[in-house]
Amino acid sequence: MATIGDVAREAGVSRSTASYALSGKRPISEEVRRRVLAAAEALAYTPNAGARALATSRTKVLGLLARFYTDEFAPAMMQYIQGVTDTARDLGYDTLLVTDEDGARALRRITDSRMVDGVVLMNIAQDDPRLPILRAAAQPGATVGLPGDCSGIDVFDLDFEEAGRAMVDHLHGLGHRELILISQPEHVVERGGAYVWRLRDAALERARQCGVTLHTVYGESRQPAVGRLLHTLLDTYPSATGLLINNEAAAAALPSVAHERGLRVPEDLSVIGRYSAEFAAAFSLPYSFVESAPDRLGSMAVRQLVRRVESAAARREPFVVRFISPELVSRGSTTPPREPHPRTPAR
Amino acid sequence: MATIGDVAREAGVSRSTASYALSGKRPISEEVRRRVLAAAEALAYTPNAGARALATSRTKVLGLLARFYTDEFAPAMMQYIQGVTDTARDLGYDTLLVTDEDGARALRRITDSRMVDGVVLMNIAQDDPRLPILRAAAQPGATVGLPGDCSGIDVFDLDFEEAGRAMVDHLHGLGHRELILISQPEHVVERGGAYVWRLRDAALERARQCGVTLHTVYGESRQPAVGRLLHTLLDTYPSATGLLINNEAAAAALPSVAHERGLRVPEDLSVIGRYSAEFAAAFSLPYSFVESAPDRLGSMAVRQLVRRVESAAARREPFVVRFISPELVSRGSTTPPREPHPRTPAR
DNA sequence: CTTCAGCGTCGAACCGGTTCGACGATCAAG
DNA sequence: CTTGATCGTCGAACCGGTTCGACGCTGAAG
């Protein structure tokens, strides 16, 4: 492999001149620049990443700490990751994917050893053990997900509170007075997944304010448990006219459950989900939904991170906590409720 | 951040002695070793990855080139990735995840710049443009998936031919004489996904040998198209008594299709799939299946790669093409066919 | 009492880039 | 014709590790 010394020799100049010719950081005569570029081309010169990192203390690599939980839906995770890797690449960065079980130690390892210029954290818990380490690190960090303590980092998340309210408002506006909300499984909450209760509590509060009855329940993450749960719910609350779904598995299971019960959406039941357009497409879900925009969140986190990495001024700016406003995508799965007489329980 | 010079000064020795004390590559007195380790501990010393890479020409990072296609099932992809990252970490390596659309250029970038010690390629196409670059690279490479030309790399894949034969044999052994095989969508093949026809052609050949009629068809990757296709297939071949599924989306859709048709498995139809146990669990699929073991394949590829990276002797060994034998996991979804009178078309 | 081997340590070089200060040449201004 | 600024280039130092050769010291063998 050719080094910059080889290029310099080939072009008949010093190493520093070759470096300047390639980087453009000092004026170089047209003639010399041409010779250096030609030599680099001829020798297929590619700078050694380690040497450059050592000299510049920049690696052009971002760390991405993510965990693949079997009870969280893989497609959503993939979208976050893709959002991060694609945006990073656009900005000239590669992505080190770290899925260690002990995220805190892994984070320390990659930051202390200066393998990365910055870090994106996913699967954020309310009290995330990685955050103290990130705050102490020399590199800037961003999270996708809202932790309890946002100090010292940039935070990006969907506005789950507003999403909960928007769902309730939408159905209340259509005249619904009794709704069901199915959330993620309880162990997602136990793991610290605050977004579950952020959406739920905001929805409950709003429902209370506008006199709507809202039944809430933790869902399941897998078939057929989640399907059975849906049946049970619909049996238990026969007079509910609307269903809010903050649970990918439940949303994916609903079409066949509805079919089994002979339940028509929206005539018999109005439905709103909370997931990504990509997820909706993969499962062809026919429901209106609040877009959770995982790729956009990953992309925003990376952009902010790179700003801080590349500009000392940006590094001094105050930290941001930025929420994406929930966007309700209508698929026609909601309508005013039928007459006040309840659905007849099926099955 | 403390450097090894700081550690040396703190311990009152030279930099080289500190280095040897930490690496153990030369004998060091117990007393000095103790002092050096204490100093390193006190200063929270972590070696600078770039400097070490420059000195040793080893980065302890593996490249993972993967693409996230929307028409390939995300959960399977996640399992491959997890298999790679977990095994890499076990062996002391981090993983650089590269999802560039132009995989060939990305591969050249990370190998020429010496960012990685070795590379794992996924989503292998029959005539993969990344392979010539991998062969020319200084680092060893492994693939998960069988390309047309295996020279110069280590190849790991499920034995799809044997899987196709095993599925046919199993049902033939039970007495079935007319089967349907639903494959991946046609554009997976167009993209170079050879495993689709490897399984299909071997199944056809075996079916021919043992006098079984086998109808084959390209599937769809999404609901509801794949569900409709299943209905059509079952209508079109009413006398078929067995269904082979080499298509995750079709497998996931089958339970509700069967339910809609009032079709009992295995009484009315024997079913065998080809997917991973993890996938089966996520969708609680009640079918016998050939385990595709994505995590195991990823893990094997990494182990071989690391062997070659770390041992000059291993680097000189001949390249391997290793197939995992398909393992049929019985879930009781196959049984001898009913009387020769055909299923009555439903719907 | 010398000789020599081996152990433990040190200094220096090297990996391959970047960057700073200096210096010679050119050219315009005084 | 000198002075001084500007431009283009070079040499050297540095980033933070690893590793090679050398060297002093100790202790056993002759």
Side-chain angles (χ1 to χ4, degrees):
Chain A
M1 209 69 234
T3 72
I4 201 169
D6 300 330
V7 173
R9 190 172 335 107
E10 177 84 9
V13 299
S14 70
R15 292 203 305 149
S16 52
T17 300
S19 177
Y20 287 125
L22 291 167
S23 71
K25 292 187 183 174
R26 277 199 184 175
I28 293 287
S29 71
E30 191 48 43
E31 158 65 9
V32 168
R33 153 178 276 104
R34 225 185 26 68
R35 287 215 314 271
V36 170
L37 293 182
E41 174 75 17
L43 301 173
Y45 167 71
T46 309
N48 179 298
R52 175 170 279 178
L54 181 56
T56 61
S57 19
R58 287 285 168 75
T59 63
K60 288 286 185 174
V61 174
L62 301 180
L64 172 57
L65 271 89
R67 301 237 39 214
F68 299 166
Y69 294 114
T70 54
D71 58 2
E72 271 174 334
F73 229 75
M77 199 64 198
M78 296 272 285
Q79 280 187 74
Y80 283 113
I81 295 177
Q82 178 113 44
V84 168
T85 57
D86 284 356
T87 306
R89 202 75 275 294
D90 281 352
L91 300 175
Y93 288 76
D94 277 296
T95 304
L96 197 74
L97 175 65
V98 178
T99 60
D100 288 31
E101 188 166 342
D102 187 345
R105 207 163 69 177
L107 179 56
R108 174 124 55 194
R109 177 167 50 78
I110 65 171
T111 53
D112 282 1
S113 68
R114 294 292 201 278
M115 300 180 77
V116 294
D117 291 340
V119 180
V120 176
L121 262 48
M122 310 230 318
N123 315 87
I124 293 296
Q126 176 69 10
D127 183 19
D128 200 300
R130 298 169 297 180
L131 289 180
I133 291 170
L134 184 53
R135 292 194 190 95
Q139 299 93 332
T143 69
V144 173
L146 176 69
D149 176 1
C150 295
S151 61
I153 47 172
D154 293 311
V155 172
F156 299 86
D157 204 357
L158 179 68
D159 189 337
F160 281 94
E161 281 89 352
E162 191 53 38
R165 287 190 287 267
M167 291 165 121
V168 171
D169 283 348
H170 179 76
L171 290 181
H172 173 251
L174 288 172
H176 293 261
R177 293 298 175 263
E178 183 179 357
L179 307 174
I180 305 171
L181 167 62
I182 179 165
S183 301
Q184 298 283 27
E186 188 162 12
H187 48 277
V188 172
V189 177
E190 286 161 2
R191 214 161 51 218
Y195 68 97
V196 178
W197 51 258
R198 278 162 58 208
L199 186 147
R200 185 196 58 198
D201 292 356
L204 278 170
E205 169 71 9
R206 176 55 54 94
R208 204 185 48 70
Q209 286 168 357
C210 56
V212 166
T213 303
L214 178 62
H215 309 288
T216 68
V217 63
Y218 290 122
E220 300 281 344
S221 64
R222 295 196 155 180
Q223 278 285 19
V226 67
R228 277 198 303 267
L229 177 63
L230 283 168
H231 276 300
T232 306
L233 276 178
L234 295 170
D235 289 341
T236 308
Y237 306 111
S239 52
T241 56
L243 178 62
L244 312 181
I245 307 180
N246 183 25
N247 178 319
E248 275 96 348
L254 185 57
S256 65
V257 168
H259 185 269
E260 285 164 27
R261 300 175 70 90
L263 184 73
R264 292 164 306 163
V265 175
E267 293 83 351
D268 304 322
L269 183 71
S270 287
V271 174
I272 307 184
R274 195 280 312 157
Y275 41 73
S276 74
E278 175 58 29
F279 180 84
F283 290 85
S284 297
L285 297 182
Y287 313 123
S288 301
F289 64 98
V290 171
E291 168 66 56
S292 59
D295 43 355
R296 219 174 111 212
L297 282 167
S299 179
M300 287 170 66
V302 168
R303 281 177 206 288
Q304 173 72 348
L305 196 54
V306 169
R307 279 192 61 234
R308 290 210 192 264
V309 167
E310 298 191 340
S311 145
R315 199 149 44 255
R316 283 188 301 268
E317 291 173 10
F319 296 100
V320 306
V321 178
R322 194 154 296 155
F323 293 108
I324 292 189
S325 323
E327 185 195 345
L328 187 62
V329 179
S330 175
R331 289 274 204 274
S333 66
T334 63
T335 195
R338 286 219 294 207
E339 300 315 294
H341 57 69
R343 283 180 291 109
T344 51
R347 275 229 294 207
Chain B
M1 210 68 232
T3 72
I4 200 168
D6 301 330
V7 173
R9 189 172 335 107
E10 176 85 8
V13 298
S14 71
R15 293 202 305 150
S16 52
T17 300
S19 177
Y20 286 125
L22 290 168
S23 71
K25 292 187 182 174
R26 278 199 184 174
I28 293 288
S29 70
E30 191 49 44
E31 158 65 7
V32 168
R33 154 179 275 104
R34 225 186 24 69
R35 288 215 313 273
V36 170
L37 292 182
E41 175 76 17
L43 300 174
Y45 167 71
T46 310
N48 179 298
R52 177 170 278 177
L54 181 56
T56 62
S57 20
R58 287 285 168 75
T59 62
K60 289 286 185 176
V61 174
L62 301 180
L64 172 57
L65 270 88
R67 300 238 37 215
F68 300 166
Y69 294 114
T70 53
D71 58 2
E72 271 173 333
F73 229 75
M77 199 65 200
M78 296 273 286
Q79 279 187 76
Y80 283 111
I81 294 178
Q82 179 114 43
V84 168
T85 58
D86 284 357
T87 305
R89 200 77 275 296
D90 280 352
L91 301 175
Y93 287 76
D94 277 295
T95 304
L96 197 73
L97 175 66
V98 178
T99 60
D100 288 30
E101 188 167 340
D102 186 345
R105 208 164 68 177
L107 178 57
R108 174 124 55 192
R109 177 166 50 78
I110 66 172
T111 52
D112 281 1
S113 68
R114 295 292 201 275
M115 299 179 78
V116 295
D117 292 340
V119 181
V120 177
L121 261 47
M122 310 229 320
N123 316 86
I124 294 296
Q126 176 68 10
D127 183 19
D128 201 300
R130 299 168 297 180
L131 289 180
I133 291 170
L134 184 52
R135 292 194 189 96
Q139 299 94 333
T143 69
V144 174
L146 175 69
D149 175 2
C150 296
S151 61
I153 48 172
D154 293 311
V155 172
F156 299 86
D157 204 356
L158 178 68
D159 189 336
F160 280 94
E161 281 89 353
E162 191 53 38
R165 286 189 288 265
M167 291 166 120
V168 171
D169 283 348
H170 179 76
L171 290 181
H172 173 252
L174 288 171
H176 293 260
R177 292 298 175 263
E178 183 179 357
L179 307 174
I180 305 171
L181 166 63
I182 178 166
S183 302
Q184 298 283 27
E186 188 162 12
H187 48 279
V188 172
V189 177
E190 285 161 3
R191 214 161 48 218
Y195 67 98
V196 177
W197 53 257
R198 280 163 54 209
L199 186 147
R200 185 197 57 198
D201 291 356
L204 278 170
E205 169 72 9
R206 175 57 52 95
R208 203 184 49 71
Q209 286 167 355
C210 55
V212 166
T213 303
L214 177 62
H215 309 288
T216 69
V217 63
Y218 290 123
E220 300 281 343
S221 63
R222 297 197 154 180
Q223 279 284 20
V226 68
R228 276 199 303 267
L229 177 64
L230 283 168
H231 277 298
T232 306
L233 277 178
L234 294 170
D235 288 342
T236 308
Y237 306 110
S239 51
T241 56
L243 178 62
L244 313 181
I245 307 180
N246 183 25
N247 177 318
E248 277 96 346
L254 185 57
S256 65
V257 167
H259 186 269
E260 284 164 28
R261 302 175 69 92
L263 184 72
R264 292 165 306 162
V265 175
E267 292 84 350
D268 304 321
L269 183 71
S270 287
V271 174
I272 307 184
R274 197 278 312 157
Y275 40 73
S276 73
E278 175 59 29
F279 180 84
F283 289 85
S284 298
L285 297 182
Y287 313 122
S288 302
F289 63 98
V290 171
E291 168 67 56
S292 58
D295 44 355
R296 218 174 112 213
L297 283 167
S299 178
M300 287 170 67
V302 168
R303 280 179 206 288
Q304 174 72 348
L305 196 54
V306 169
R307 279 192 62 234
R308 291 212 191 262
V309 167
E310 298 190 341
S311 145
R315 198 148 45 254
R316 282 188 301 269
E317 291 173 10
F319 297 99
V320 306
V321 177
R322 193 155 295 155
F323 292 107
I324 292 189
S325 322
E327 185 196 345
L328 186 63
V329 179
S330 176
R331 289 274 204 274
S333 66
T334 63
T335 195
R338 286 218 295 208
E339 299 314 297
H341 56 69
R343 284 180 289 109
T344 50
R347 272 230 293 205

